[in-house]
Structure formats: structure tokens, C-alpha cells
Amino acid sequence: MTKWTPRHEAPEPLEGNVVATITGGTVIWFVLFLAQLPFYGWFDDHGHLWWLWTCLAGGGLGLIGVWYVRKRDAAIRRAEADAAGRQAV
């Protein structure tokens, strides 16, 4: 049996406003958490309490994601500025 190999080039990754995308997702997770919080008793009675904690975990991990992509964007900008500075000299 031969190994499967792709027959075409992989597409270039999409670059966009990653910080805004991650921030938006994080806000959605926290809004979902807050919207479910008044129904804590119902979730507990029906065995769905994990929904609440999943939303909180998504918001917390989203905060780590926002921190990460902001650092990444800053590093990319620094590298571009260094490369432009070297070309100008």
C-alpha cells in the first residue's frame, strides 16, 4: 500500500484581523456564560451544568488566545520593521 500524497499545493493561510476574531469569540463565550448563569439550578437539576462551565472555560481560554495573538502580531510587525530597516540601509 502506498502512502497518500496530496496532488496539489496547499493554499496560503488566510491572514486577517486575528485579534478581533479571537476577541469576538471570547466575548461570545462570556456572554453565553452570563446568559446561562440565572438558570444554574435548572442546569444542575437536569445534569447539564457542564454547559455553564464549558462557556466559562471557553472565555478563559479565549483570554489566553487574545494575549497570544496580540504578542504574535507585535512580533510580526517587529520582524517586518527590522526587515524594512535592513533593506533601507
Side-chain angles (χ1 to χ4, degrees):
M1 183 167 238
T2 61
K3 182 179 177 184
W4 178 83
T5 56
R7 299 182 191 272
H8 59 279
E9 294 279 330
E12 290 293 319
L14 296 173
E15 289 293 332
N17 193 348
V18 181
V19 176
T21 303
I22 301 300
T23 302
T26 302
V27 167
I28 288 171
W29 279 114
F30 277 124
V31 167
L32 287 171
F33 172 74
L34 293 175
Q36 292 176 3
L37 201 55
F39 304 103
Y40 184 91
W42 185 90
F43 284 120
D44 193 25
D45 293 342
H46 291 86
H48 298 301
L49 200 55
W50 63 272
W51 290 4
L52 190 72
W53 304 124
T54 299
C55 292
L56 184 61
L61 290 171
L63 290 176
I64 295 169
V66 169
W67 172 79
Y68 178 81
V69 296
R70 290 185 71 197
K71 291 281 193 181
R72 178 183 174 267
D73 278 355
I76 290 171
R77 286 192 186 110
R78 248 189 335 270
E80 288 173 353
D82 288 347
R86 288 184 191 139
Q87 288 176 355
V89 174

